[in-house]
């Protein structure tokens, strides 16, 4: 079972220093911003590359409801409204460094970088009351968990239970097609009034930057991998890192071994 539905607070198990390194793929511009500004950005998950972000969970919830009751109950709409009152911001990470699908999808088609963070140090910097969860891809597990959650909610009038389930699991479930990513997420729920915003072509997108200080830097970044379509010399990346206070305790800076012809 994904989580104990009878627990006082139903949540996924949190990151516990395994794996030791968690990787973040990004464009060259984002890499430059992270290092030069010494900030890590939590971005709105609904604005990510996956158009089904949050919607996959919702589709499974509706399916479970319709399988157990003839009419969609009012609490379904209540929990949607409840969880739309704040921005869900996150940092997406993976267990796998130098993965071709990640280069293509999240690092400017291989032109970017992959930053290997020390997981424990990253959590000390970024967690701050949020969650650090491993994404669930197994569809059978997702459906069984939601089926039981719906059955329990149908026995109650108050919506506190399903509100919390949606808040803690809506961005923890993804389509099985993404399983290769082996994703971890740092997730924060942040009031819209406390967010910063980017203007995109058709909408505003919320974000929040977390600043690193001199105490955070040692050991925070364990390694950097240069993308298969990125021509920056290794020694230049090393100099850039050291120029901004990183690099002294890094394991290394390497080039990707992925065989990929950048389009």
């Amino acid at each position: 079972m994904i989580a104990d539905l009878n627990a006082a607070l139903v949540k996924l198990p949190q990151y516990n220093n395994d794996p030791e390194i968690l990787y973040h793929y990004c464009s060259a511009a984002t890499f430059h911003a992270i290092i030069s500004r010494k900030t890590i950005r939590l971005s709105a998950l609904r604005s990510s590359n996956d158009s089904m972000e949050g919607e996959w969970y919702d589709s499974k919830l509706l399916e479970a409801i319709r399988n157990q009751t003839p009419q969609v109950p009012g609490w379904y709409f209540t929990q949607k409204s409840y969880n739309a009152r704040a921005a869900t911001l996150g940092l997406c990470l993976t267990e796998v460094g130098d993965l071709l699908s990640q280069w293509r999808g999240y690092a400017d088609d291989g032109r970017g970088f992959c930053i290997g963070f020390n997981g424990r140090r990253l959590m000390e910097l970024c967690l701050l009351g949020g969650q650090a969860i491993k994404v669930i891809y197994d569809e059978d597990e997702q459906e069984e968990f939601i089926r039981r959650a719906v059955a329990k909610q149908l026995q109650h009038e108050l919506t506190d239970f399903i509100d919390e389930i949606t808040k803690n699991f809506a961005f923890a479930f993804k389509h099985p097609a993404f399983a290769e990513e082996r994703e971890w997420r740092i997730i924060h729920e942040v009031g819209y009034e406390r967010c910063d915003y980017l203007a995109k072509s058709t909408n505003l997108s919320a974000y929040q930057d977390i600043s690193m200080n001199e105490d955070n830097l040692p050991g925070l970044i364990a390694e950097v991998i240069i993308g298969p379509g990125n021509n920056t010399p290794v020694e230049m990346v090393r100099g850039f890192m050291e120029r901004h206070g990183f690099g002294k305790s890094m394991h290394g800076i390497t080039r990707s071994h992925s065989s990929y012809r950048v389009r």
Side-chain angles (χ1 to χ4, degrees):
M1 192 63 177
I2 291 173
D4 181 4
L5 287 169
N6 294 314
L9 181 60
V10 184
K11 297 173 68 173
L12 281 165
Q14 303 293 296
Y15 175 78
N16 190 28
N17 302 328
D18 184 26
E20 181 180 354
I21 297 177
L22 292 170
Y23 297 91
H24 178 67
Y25 290 76
C26 60
S27 67
T30 298
F31 175 75
H32 181 274
I34 290 171
I35 303 304
S36 63
R37 299 176 188 170
K38 296 184 177 66
T39 58
I40 293 175
R41 177 161 294 182
L42 304 180
S43 301
L45 290 176
R46 290 191 186 277
S47 299
S48 73
N49 288 13
D50 180 6
S51 62
M52 284 294 289
E53 215 38 282
E55 299 303 318
W56 179 255
Y57 165 89
D58 189 65
S59 69
K60 294 297 181 185
L61 180 60
L62 264 177
E63 180 182 339
I65 289 171
R66 287 169 173 153
N67 285 339
Q68 296 183 54
T69 184
Q71 186 173 0
V72 177
W75 55 255
Y76 167 76
F77 303 100
T78 301
Q79 57 86 32
K80 282 181 72 75
S81 297
Y82 174 82
N83 283 286
R85 295 185 302 175
T88 303
L89 307 181
L91 176 68
C92 298
L93 305 150
T94 173
E95 299 180 358
V96 189
D98 202 9
L99 182 64
L100 181 57
S101 61
Q102 294 275 45
W103 287 122
R104 294 176 66 178
Y106 305 104
D108 192 19
D109 199 26
R111 298 178 181 89
F113 291 84
C114 175
I115 305 172
F117 288 102
N118 177 286
R120 179 180 60 82
R121 298 302 304 273
L122 182 65
M123 299 309 159
E124 290 172 356
L125 175 65
C126 293
L127 202 51
L128 303 173
Q131 296 192 67
I133 60 170
K134 187 174 184 178
V135 172
I136 306 297
Y137 302 98
D138 188 301
E139 197 166 359
D140 291 336
E141 286 188 356
Q142 295 171 1
E143 290 176 351
E144 177 62 11
F145 175 80
I146 294 178
R147 182 191 68 78
R148 293 188 181 187
V150 168
K152 184 171 182 178
Q153 177 59 46
L154 288 171
Q155 299 172 14
H156 298 84
E157 292 185 12
L158 297 178
T159 63
D160 300 38
F161 173 74
I162 199 65
D163 289 346
E164 289 297 314
I165 293 292
T166 296
K167 182 178 78 172
N168 292 330
F169 291 87
F171 294 95
F173 292 172
K174 292 187 74 170
H175 191 285
F178 289 95
E180 182 187 42
E181 295 182 350
R182 291 161 63 184
E183 186 177 351
W184 285 81
R185 291 179 160 181
I186 296 174
I187 296 179
H188 285 258
E189 188 178 68
V190 181
Y192 287 118
E193 73 282 359
R194 294 192 292 117
C195 295
D196 293 308
Y197 292 89
L198 291 172
K200 297 193 172 183
S201 58
T202 60
N203 63 285
L204 292 176
S205 182
Y207 73 91
Q208 192 171 73
D209 284 341
I210 297 176
S211 297
M212 312 173 208
N213 57 45
E214 296 303 318
D215 294 334
N216 303 134
L217 299 188
L220 177 61
I221 296 179
E223 62 179 294
V224 172
I225 305 171
I226 303 170
N230 185 327
N231 297 320
T232 311
V234 169
E235 289 308 314
M236 183 180 290
V237 176
R238 190 182 310 281
F240 172 64
M241 300 287 292
E242 292 184 358
R243 168 70 175 80
H244 292 285
F246 298 89
K248 297 298 184 183
S249 60
M250 289 175 58
H251 296 318
I253 300 169
T254 59
R255 305 201 69 86
S256 168
H257 295 292
S258 296
S259 177
Y260 179 53
R261 187 186 297 274
V262 177
R263 292 167 288 185

